[in-house]
Amino acid sequence: MENKEIIKKFYTSFSNGNVTGMLECYHKDVVFKDAVFGRLEGDRAFKMWEMLLSNKKQDTTINFSNIEATAESGKANWVAEYLYGNKKRKVVNSVSADFKFKDGKIIQHFDTFDLWSWTKQAMGLPGYLLGWSSFMRNKIQQTTNNRLDVFIKK
């Protein structure tokens, strides 16, 4: 499978809630990084996607576009729309993804998005006031990684 097709399979599986299809695209030694989880390696990155998709709701939509790939790297844009938290705040998160490949699989996946924009939508006033800060980013990463630890122990 060509690298462009690997990215397409990853996001098609993501949009369909098919975690198995997504993880088939990842190398066992994958490194994932984003503003919410920070850096995750190997099985921890696999478990992160399992956790996120186990919580995926009917009202969640994932759309992707602008897939490009070479023999070594690739990129895509994707947008997630969902309701967040107890207050069910509407979030539209636009993400740029960068990939590196090894042995016909994704070995590195870095997602970039505006964390302040996300916190304003997801958290309301506290996100607006503090979402730009390293304090808030660190708190978010600590919280999401604690949730991931609990999920892994189940």
Side-chain angles (χ1 to χ4, degrees):
M1 186 181 308
E2 290 187 25
N3 291 338
K4 190 172 182 177
E5 292 302 313
I6 292 169
I7 297 171
K8 185 176 179 183
K9 177 182 177 178
F10 181 86
Y11 286 111
T12 300
S13 297
F14 189 13
S15 65
N16 293 331
N18 176 4
V19 72
T20 302
M22 291 175 71
L23 299 181
E24 287 172 351
C25 300
Y26 267 6
H27 191 280
K28 68 179 179 62
D29 297 323
V30 69
V31 174
F32 174 85
K33 183 178 173 186
D34 79 351
V36 171
F37 283 93
R39 182 183 173 100
L40 303 175
E41 298 181 11
D43 193 52
R44 198 160 171 80
F46 281 72
K47 293 295 185 186
M48 180 263 310
W49 289 116
E50 289 177 26
M51 179 182 77
L52 291 178
L53 265 66
S54 73
N55 295 324
K56 187 174 182 263
K57 308 283 189 268
Q58 295 283 139
D59 56 12
T60 300
T61 60
I62 307 293
N63 294 297
F64 58 95
S65 61
N66 302 325
I67 296 173
E68 297 177 22
T70 66
E72 296 85 32
S73 64
K75 60 185 177 177
N77 296 320
W78 62 278
V79 177
E81 295 184 40
Y82 54 94
L83 300 177
Y84 181 83
N86 295 335
K87 295 189 177 182
K88 306 240 182 272
R89 290 188 170 104
K90 171 91 173 177
V91 173
V92 178
N93 194 23
S94 298
V95 183
S96 296
D98 290 295
F99 303 94
K100 296 212 182 303
F101 300 95
K102 180 179 177 182
D103 303 329
K105 297 195 180 244
I106 298 167
I107 187 71
Q108 182 176 292
H109 176 181
F110 289 2
D111 279 346
T112 306
F113 58 91
D114 183 340
L115 184 62
W116 191 26
S117 176
W118 182 86
T119 60
K120 288 187 283 187
Q121 295 173 76
M123 299 174 179
L125 186 59
Y128 178 79
L129 295 174
L130 298 172
W132 56 270
S133 69
S134 59
F135 168 80
M136 181 64 87
R137 183 185 63 247
N138 293 338
K139 181 70 174 159
I140 290 168
Q141 288 180 8
Q142 180 183 18
T143 300
T144 55
N145 278 281
N146 287 342
R147 283 182 47 223
L148 182 56
D149 291 339
V150 169
F151 180 82
I152 290 170
K153 290 177 184 174
K154 286 184 185 178

